[in-house]
């Protein structure tokens, strides 16, 4: 008899953008995008990090009312020379308030089926009882002012995780461009305001996400932050030399700092050739897990799908396909407590250490 799968808690999705673009409901099974409540239940997805990502104004205009390829607008981030000017604080705050509000309304409309989690204990309770857990995350710190006032407001609204930047630059940091193949060492590290933001996030015990950050920024956070090092949705650079992936040296630092890296399912970050080929097998996802576990141990690897924001292997498709990944992991010998750690346990442990409750 097949043992039952542990619930999955996932380190990254762009579902709120997919809901906005397609107009679909989180509560009805859709053929568009990758996550909704029915497909989550089918795949035993118990929740995850829900990203607030803010389009640069040029891309927002392009995206309005379209449900096309989520990555179509990402081409301007392939090279630093085409990066837009950093967006204004006013613009970033108005956009983020609207997206955050949409996520809070999903909880409100769910009649108790969805909960925004603010503590690790609440997350664990959700996983134990089948309530879908939503963790509010900023993929880019653009809505935060350097004095830290807005951080208090967003924290009160439920924000518990912040990535300093997406693959672009802002007042705090520089991300990696989507070049391939390339090293993640692509320029200056954190600005002085970025270093101060790391201290503010530490004081507020908000998780800091290193995915998208360039390598010098990564080492700046490693030096300044007192929290576990976390890359929510990045793979092994050794197996797919994208600057979005982590070098073995970075993986070693994450292990030493009791952190976690979440497996990104995007085919371009899985493949050795970086191609966007949906015929990439689930076995390739497990190859990255194996490399990361070999390098860091079973306690420092989790999942960070990038559902609703990236190109999935056809074999997996969407959240309803997650049991196929669990099956493949079992096939490589992960079972029992180890499988539960990969599925959700490591995320809960790192969040408990970071948040302190
Ligand atoms: Zn991302």
């Amino acid at each position: 008899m097949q043992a039952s799968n542990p619930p999955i808690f996932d380190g990254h999705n762009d579902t709120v953008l997919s809901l906005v673009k397609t107009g679909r409901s989180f509560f009805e099974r859709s053929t568009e995008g990758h996550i909704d409540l029915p497909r989550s239940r089918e795949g035993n997805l118990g929740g995850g990090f829900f990203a607030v990502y803010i389009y640069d104004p040029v891309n927002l205009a392009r995206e309005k009312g379209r449900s096309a390829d989520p990555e179509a607008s990402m081409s301007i981030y392939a090279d630093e020379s085409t990066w837009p000017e950093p967006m204004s604080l006013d613009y970033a705050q108005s956009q983020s308030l609207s997206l955050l509000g949409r996520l809070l309304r999903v909880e409100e409309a769910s009649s108790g089926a969805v909960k925004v989690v603010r503590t690790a204990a609440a997350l664990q309770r959700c996983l134990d009882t089948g309530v879908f857990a939503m963790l509010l995350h900023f993929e880019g710190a653009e809505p935060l002012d350097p004095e830290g006032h807005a951080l208090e407001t967003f924290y009160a609204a439920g924000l518990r995780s912040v990535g300093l930047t997406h693959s672009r630059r802002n007042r705090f940091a520089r991300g990696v461009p989507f070049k391939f193949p390339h090293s993640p060492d692509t320029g200056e590290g954190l600005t002085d305001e970025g270093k101060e933001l790391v201290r503010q996030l530490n004081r507020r015990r908000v998780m800091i996400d290193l995915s998208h950050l360039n390598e010098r920024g990564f080492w700046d956070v490693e030096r300044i932050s007192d929290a576990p090092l976390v890359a929510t949705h990045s793979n092994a650079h050794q197996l797919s030399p994208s600057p979005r992936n982590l070098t073995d040296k970075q993986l070693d630092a994450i292990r030493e700092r009791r952190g976690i890296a979440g497996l990104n399912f995007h085919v371009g970050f899985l493949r050795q050739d970086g191609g966007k080929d949906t015929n990439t097998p689930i076995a390739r996802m497990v190859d990255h897990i194996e490399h990361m576990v070999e390098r860091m141990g079973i306690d420092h690897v989790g999942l960070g799908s990038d559902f609703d924001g990236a190109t999935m292997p056809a074999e997996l498709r969407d959240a309803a396909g997650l049991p196929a990944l669990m099956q493949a992991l079992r096939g490589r010998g992960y079972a029992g407590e180890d499988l539960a750690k990969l599925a959700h346990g490591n995320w809960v442990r790192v969040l408990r250490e970071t948040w302190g409750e």
Side-chain angles (χ1 to χ4, degrees), residues 200-259:
Q200 289 172 7
L201 293 167
N202 276 174
R203 274 198 296 275
R204 252 282 156 238
R205 304 198 82 157
V206 170
M207 202 200 85
I208 297 166
D209 179 15
L210 298 160
S211 287
H212 288 280
L213 193 58
N214 68 8
E215 190 171 355
R216 277 176 246 179
F218 178 102
W219 296 116
D220 283 338
V221 174
E222 193 259 351
R223 268 189 300 277
I224 298 164
S225 175
D226 59 17
L229 296 182
V230 176
T232 56
H233 58 309
S234 295
N235 296 336
H237 195 269
Q238 183 76 31
L239 299 189
S240 175
S242 162
R244 277 284 288 102
N245 289 337
L246 299 157
T247 65
D248 283 348
K249 222 178 134 206
Q250 290 177 305
L251 294 175
D252 292 347
I254 289 173
R255 181 199 65 233
E256 278 156 30
R257 294 287 298 278
R258 298 189 48 75

Side-chain angles (χ1 to χ4, degrees), residues 41-340:
R41 292 203 162 127
E42 237 177 279
N44 207 16
L45 176 64
F49 286 63
F50 279 67
V52 167
Y53 169 82
I54 300 166
Y55 283 112
D56 276 291
V58 51
N59 273 334
L60 184 68
R62 218 193 295 192
E63 287 292 321
K64 276 251 154 76
R66 279 196 358 197
S67 60
D69 176 5
E71 292 170 83
S73 62
M74 290 293 137
S75 56
I76 62 167
Y77 306 113
D79 192 281
E80 289 99 325
S81 65
T82 54
W83 280 358
E85 284 300 301
M87 65 183 75
S88 75
L89 180 61
D90 282 355
Y91 168 81
Q93 289 187 339
S94 70
Q95 293 292 316
S96 59
L97 283 174
S98 161
L99 291 170
L100 209 50
R102 280 175 183 266
L103 286 171
L104 293 169
R105 290 174 80 175
V106 169
E107 179 189 40
E108 176 69 23
S110 74
S111 314
V114 176
K115 184 173 169 52
V116 172
V117 290
R118 294 169 167 82
T119 65
L123 168 56
Q124 186 62 59
R125 252 193 322 276
C126 283
L127 294 171
D128 291 342
T129 57
V131 172
F132 188 85
M134 209 178 247
L135 192 162
L136 302 182
H137 165 75
F138 275 0
E139 188 169 26
E142 288 86 355
L144 302 179
D145 60 88
E147 292 78 28
H149 302 311
L151 177 60
E152 295 302 324
T153 311
F154 287 119
Y155 184 88
L159 182 73
R160 289 295 181 275
S161 170
V162 171
L164 301 185
T165 181
H166 189 252
S167 282
R168 58 191 175 198
R169 75 192 140 88
N170 60 27
R171 69 194 308 160
F172 303 112
R174 290 173 78 93
V176 288
F178 293 121
K179 278 179 185 157
F180 190 96
H182 209 279
S183 147
D185 187 8
T186 59
E188 297 292 297
L190 303 191
T191 63
D192 288 343
E193 287 179 340
K195 291 172 185 168
E196 178 51 29
L197 178 61
V198 169
R199 295 183 195 105
Q200 289 172 7
L201 293 167
N202 276 174
R203 274 198 296 275
R204 252 282 156 238
R205 304 198 82 157
V206 170
M207 202 200 85
I208 297 166
D209 179 15
L210 298 160
S211 287
H212 288 280
L213 193 58
N214 68 8
E215 190 171 355
R216 277 176 246 179
F218 178 102
W219 296 116
D220 283 338
V221 174
E222 193 259 351
R223 268 189 300 277
I224 298 164
S225 175
D226 59 17
L229 296 182
V230 176
T232 56
H233 58 309
S234 295
N235 296 336
H237 195 269
Q238 183 76 31
L239 299 189
S240 175
S242 162
R244 277 284 288 102
N245 289 337
L246 299 157
T247 65
D248 283 348
K249 222 178 134 206
Q250 290 177 305
L251 294 175
D252 292 347
I254 289 173
R255 181 199 65 233
E256 278 156 30
R257 294 287 298 278
R258 298 189 48 75
I260 185 171
L263 178 80
N264 191 314
F265 303 175
H266 176 54
V267 291
F269 301 155
L270 290 167
R271 299 174 62 84
Q272 190 74 53
D273 65 7
K276 285 190 193 155
D277 183 351
T278 57
N279 289 316
T280 306
I282 286 176
R284 186 66 187 164
M285 301 166 73
V286 183
D287 293 344
H288 279 265
I289 295 259
E290 273 188 335
H291 181 86
M292 293 196 280
V293 169
E294 265 168 36
R295 200 79 202 177
M296 300 193 287
I298 193 71
D299 292 327
H300 304 287
V301 184
L303 303 179
S305 67
D306 221 344
F307 275 144
D308 285 320
T311 307
M312 296 295 131
E315 220 187 317
L316 183 86
R317 214 183 116 88
D318 58 18
L322 285 166
L325 174 59
M326 290 293 117
Q327 186 62 34
L329 286 166
R330 286 182 195 282
R332 298 269 186 105
Y334 297 102
E337 191 61 23
D338 284 354
L339 191 64

Side-chain angles (χ1 to χ4, degrees), residues 22-34:
T22 64
R24 65 190 175 92
S25 159
F26 187 72
F27 304 107
E28 285 162 30
R29 198 181 203 291
S30 175
T31 52
E32 295 185 279
H34 303 132

